[in-house]
Amino acid sequence: MTSPRTNAPQDLVHVRSKLLSMAEEGRVDELVEVVMGLLARVRDENTALAARLQNALRMLYGRRTEKVSAEQLTLMLDALGKDTPEAARDAIGDEPPSEKPNPEPKRPPPHKGRTALPAHLPRKQKVVRVPEAERKCTDCGTEKTCIGYIRSEVLDFV
């Protein structure tokens, strides 16, 4: 066996010593199973984190209108810890996005309905009054007040 590495992370020192003691005792099959289990667990966690990162990047740069702000993405990457890939950190950048000046307001689309009738055509006014029975309030009996009119123009051929 090789000599123990001195630059192993502190949280893995116990795991390393356990694996070395298993190798010295000759429990190679059990050692292989433990290492395979650890590798499978790391692979599963890596796959889950990669999927979360992919979803976050898709929301940030995707076609959806719901996008993740750079601050939210930074918080998520900080939650992942120091093992965050550099490509992900480069994608969000270190500085917040600059505010773009508001462009000129958009013009309303051209009117797509019918155009007004020409002014030279003769017009007749016809007033349709509300029936007398509907002019009084059913609760108190006072006469209702008019709050507006509906106007329409109809082209008629004689």
Side-chain angles (χ1 to χ4, degrees):
M1 279 266 117
T2 60
S3 64
R5 290 182 5 195
T6 57
N7 59 357
Q10 288 297 328
D11 58 340
L12 296 180
V13 171
H14 177 69
V15 174
R16 181 177 180 77
S17 64
K18 181 71 174 170
L19 293 176
L20 286 174
S21 67
M22 289 174 71
E24 289 172 355
E25 293 172 4
R27 303 184 315 192
V28 177
D29 291 336
E30 190 178 342
L31 176 66
V32 169
E33 290 301 317
V34 169
V35 170
M36 292 300 292
L38 290 172
L39 287 174
R41 187 171 134 205
V42 168
R43 182 196 62 207
D44 292 344
E45 287 178 6
N46 189 25
T47 303
L49 290 174
R52 284 178 57 193
L53 179 62
Q54 185 67 29
N55 286 338
L57 290 174
R58 186 179 306 122
M59 287 182 73
L60 181 64
Y61 297 111
R63 295 183 190 172
R64 295 182 185 179
T65 56
E66 297 177 21
K67 296 195 177 194
V68 177
S69 68
E71 292 83 18
Q72 288 175 330
L73 190 57
T74 303
L75 287 174
M76 188 197 77
L77 291 176
D78 288 342
L80 293 178
K82 62 184 176 187
D83 297 331
T84 306
E86 283 300 315
R89 293 230 180 251
D90 292 341
I92 62 167
D94 291 337
E95 54 196 47
S98 62
E99 295 287 327
K100 294 181 180 178
N102 288 338
E104 294 180 16
K106 293 182 180 179
R107 295 181 186 169
H111 184 65
K112 295 185 179 183
R114 294 181 181 165
T115 58
L117 293 175
H120 70 276
L121 292 176
R123 285 166 168 73
K124 294 181 185 176
Q125 187 173 4
K126 180 180 177 185
V127 177
V128 180
R129 299 205 37 99
V130 176
E132 190 69 36
E134 294 181 19
R135 288 189 205 168
K136 296 196 178 206
C137 177
T138 57
D139 294 334
C140 62
T142 59
E143 189 165 330
K144 297 179 184 178
T145 57
C146 180
I147 58 171
Y149 296 96
I150 298 176
R151 286 186 161 233
S152 64
E153 289 186 341
V154 178
L155 184 61
D156 192 18
F157 291 99
V158 178

